Amino acid sequence: MRANARLGFIVALAGVLFLAARPADAAGPAAGDAKRGEYLFAAGGCAGCHTDVKNGGQLLAGGRELKTPFGSFYGPNITAHPTAGIGKWSDDDFVRALRLGRRPDGAHYFPVFPYTSFTKMTDQDMVDLKAYIFALPTSDKPNRAHDIGFPFNLRPLQFGWKLLNFAPGAFVADPAKSAEINRGAYLAQALGHCAECHSPRNAMGGLKRDMLYAGDRAHPGGGRVPNITPDRDTGIGKWSPADYQDLLSMGMTPAGDFVGGDMGEVVKNSTGPLTPADRSAMVAYLRQLPAIANRISGQAP
């Protein structure tokens, strides 16, 4: 009886996940708009993980390494090549990947792919993003196999990981917040997936939900990532709105330094190309986050 109860519990949870993850646009999205998709592509930082810039790789042809405590993962080819890339994917396939973290064949993606944030995108933004990606040059570069050990290389185990660490579903605006803050929340949570780098993780690699944006002393890519909550002592609570704008638009900190590394890429490819209105929305959202005391050495992002 206990075994049956446990099985029933798992089935019920799976049902909840399925219902929560139903498409965000009930009437279905319109045909993909590549022009809109170009802006979303920048805001989502897609080039970063899927382009091996260090070795002169083609845009979105894959191969970039991300080192984690579980092994090394390599960004896949997501050009529209029919065999080496995702050229045979339908819009539904693309939406399923971002919303549910599932491949067209149903297999689970490893959460190194931040579908845990992209799930909050609207269906329309997803298909517009796909339209832009499919308008770019293709590459026949084969994907490099991930270098991860047993049992972390078992995709079926990702189902259990999702039950514990993943809440699928599109972004829902907070009616108590302004339209600007909600826009900033969408940009930071769904497209920019800021919490993926700026939050500590549990032993399973899931985000610590009570510490979102509070920084990470052991970032999977190496190094430390600063606390960007408004805590005045350990975060960036002393920053003015202009300080936030300078950082997001050109990468300059209040001390007059310029960010490099991963954050330098984010500024160049993602936050820099945003419209001034969208950057202001992100600033409004970040400034109203709960302040969390969590000291990380080197507080400049």
Side-chain angles (χ1 to χ4, degrees), residues 133-147:
I133 290 174
F134 273 50
L136 295 172
T138 64
S139 168
D140 62 359
K141 179 181 178 180
N143 289 324
R144 181 172 177 178
H146 300 314
D147 184 15

Side-chain angles (χ1 to χ4, degrees), residues 179-200:
E180 181 182 44
I181 289 175
N182 275 304
R183 174 60 177 170
Y186 181 74
L187 289 166
Q189 293 178 20
L191 292 171
H193 54 283
C194 307
E196 300 286 347
C197 284
H198 285 278
S199 308

